[in-house]
Amino acid sequence: MMSSITSFNESLVSHQTFVLIGIPGMQEKNSWVAFPLFVLYTLTLLGNFTILYVIKIDPSLHEPMYFFLSMLACSDLGLCISTLPTMLGVYWFDSREIPLNACISQMFFIHSFQWAESGILVAMAFDRFIAIRDPLRYRSRLPNTLIAKIGIAVFSRSFCICFPPPFLLSKLPFCRSNVLSHSYCLHQDAMKLACADTRVNVLYGLIAIISTLGLDVFIILVSYVLILKTVLSIASRKECLKALNTCVAHIAAILIFYVPMIGISMAHRFGRHLSPIIHMLMANIFVTVPPLLNPVVYSVKTQQIRQRLCNIFQFRKSRG
């Protein structure tokens, strides 16, 4: 009788490490992914640091739109640095074990930077509305002090939202499997491995998504309805298209961010029958594509940044 109780108690001992996975069922092919992932990591760092550098050195870019773009680049850098080194360790060095506390910390930073990016996209939608609605007073409507306050509010909100889940998760026992579904730590992924009631975690996550992500999407939609209403009132077709063109990069950034986020959330909730490789691909896209593509989109679609980049490269070429 005592031995059965002892074995039962031992089975409830919580794991203190998680195991990350690369390509499900094909671990021997992980190295094939490592080099492209390293190139992607390098390009992401280079692209976002370039955006920050160009905005810093060019006084003509010291405007609200570009300050918000700087915040977006910082958020993308944070997400990239929080995830890709761990992923490279899994794919390149087969370093798959991660301590529980390190995993929880990684979850916190991943989700914090994602919620921050969502808030920044809302601020950028508001910025586009002001720029199109009242272009003559655009700069005075968004002084540097207000932009700083918006930035502080965005990052403070993401910190406050993401602060409770690590504590809720750290209290759960993990006495079953400790193998995660991805090559980095996500809250919803680790939560499924707990051998205890996770209703509080699920409820908090649902409330957080509705009150932040849902609200952010609603505000962005309202902003673009008002933008369209303003643009359609412009008599000149040329001016109308010019005004809409200033929103193209922002709309692309919205799609790049929200589509993978919604996709992986739906996969975790309803896609258990899908192939593990599909889950792996969606998870990797979720954290790698937005930080990589945002600098590309803004460099291509924003004339001032594109022109400044061309000037930098031409200057270096002439010096060479």
Side-chain angles (χ1 to χ4, degrees):
M1 180 69 177
M2 287 296 294
S3 62
S4 63
I5 293 173
T6 303
S7 62
F8 177 74
N9 288 334
E10 287 176 353
S11 69
L12 292 180
V13 174
S14 182
H15 297 295
Q16 293 304 306
T17 61
F18 284 117
V19 177
L20 305 170
I21 65 168
I23 305 174
M26 293 186 289
Q27 277 73 19
E28 70 281 357
K29 298 187 184 297
N30 280 345
S31 58
W32 292 12
V33 180
F35 183 71
L37 199 62
F38 174 75
V39 173
L40 186 147
Y41 184 39
T42 305
L43 290 175
T44 300
L45 293 176
L46 181 64
N48 284 287
F49 276 122
T50 301
I51 290 288
L52 291 173
Y53 174 73
V54 167
I55 293 172
K56 181 179 183 297
I57 66 170
D58 192 342
S60 68
L61 299 181
H62 294 176
E63 294 186 0
M65 172 184 172
Y66 302 106
F67 289 140
F68 288 128
L69 180 56
S70 297
M71 295 181 200
L72 188 68
C74 289
S75 178
D76 284 337
L77 283 170
L79 182 60
C80 175
I81 293 168
S82 299
T83 54
L84 281 170
T86 304
M87 296 169 69
L88 281 172
V90 172
Y91 287 108
W92 213 322
F93 304 106
D94 199 32
S95 176
R96 299 194 295 150
E97 287 195 356
I98 182 170
L100 176 62
N101 290 335
C103 190
I104 289 174
S105 298
Q106 187 180 53
M107 292 175 202
F108 171 76
F109 284 109
I110 290 172
H111 293 299
S112 292
F113 286 119
Q114 285 170 339
W115 290 127
E117 186 153 337
S118 181
I120 293 165
L121 290 172
V122 172
M124 295 175 88
F126 176 70
D127 165 78
R128 289 299 82 211
F129 170 65
I130 296 296
I132 292 172
R133 181 72 177 268
D134 197 0
L136 297 179
R137 292 192 296 169
Y138 167 59
R139 193 67 183 84
S140 61
R141 286 284 190 94
L142 290 171
N144 291 348
T145 53
L146 178 59
I147 294 169
K149 289 177 183 177
I150 291 173
I152 292 169
V154 165
F155 284 98
S156 299
R157 184 192 73 158
S158 68
F159 176 84
C160 292
I161 291 168
C162 297
F163 193 68
F167 287 97
L168 293 173
L169 198 67
S170 65
K171 302 297 182 185
L172 295 174
F174 298 94
C175 50
R176 297 173 187 150
S177 172
N178 65 337
V179 180
L180 296 172
S181 304
H182 310 308
S183 51
Y184 58 90
C185 296
L186 277 181
H187 178 260
Q188 59 265 43
D189 191 20
M191 187 176 62
K192 293 189 296 186
L193 302 179
C195 50
D197 189 356
T198 59
R199 280 180 292 184
V200 174
N201 301 66
V202 173
L203 183 61
Y204 181 85
L206 185 62
I207 292 171
I209 288 173
I210 293 172
S211 62
T212 53
L213 185 63
L215 182 62
D216 289 353
V217 172
F218 176 74
I219 293 173
I220 290 171
L221 287 174
V222 170
S223 298
Y224 271 95
V225 168
L226 295 174
I227 286 170
L228 282 173
K229 185 178 177 182
T230 303
V231 167
L232 291 174
S233 66
I234 299 173
S236 169
R237 186 171 180 271
K238 184 179 178 181
E239 290 297 319
C240 178
L241 292 174
K242 185 179 178 181
L244 284 175
N245 192 51
T246 64
C247 300
V248 171
H250 181 243
I251 293 171
I254 291 170
L255 295 175
I256 289 167
F257 175 73
Y258 284 111
V259 169
M261 176 180 275
I262 293 169
I264 195 170
S265 297
M266 296 294 285
H268 271 287
R269 216 166 273 277
F270 306 110
R272 294 183 181 179
H273 63 284
L274 294 174
S275 166
I277 294 179
I278 300 295
H279 283 274
M280 182 271 292
L281 287 173
M282 291 182 69
N284 289 354
I285 289 170
F286 174 57
V287 296
T288 57
V289 169
L292 175 68
L293 291 187
N294 282 333
V296 176
V297 167
Y298 275 94
S299 298
V300 171
K301 295 303 298 181
T302 307
Q303 183 180 356
Q304 292 91 329
I305 292 179
R306 187 172 66 248
Q307 192 169 23
R308 184 63 187 179
L309 285 172
C310 290
N311 292 341
I312 291 172
F313 286 122
Q314 286 174 0
F315 175 72
R316 289 184 176 178
K317 186 176 180 181
S318 63
R319 288 189 65 181

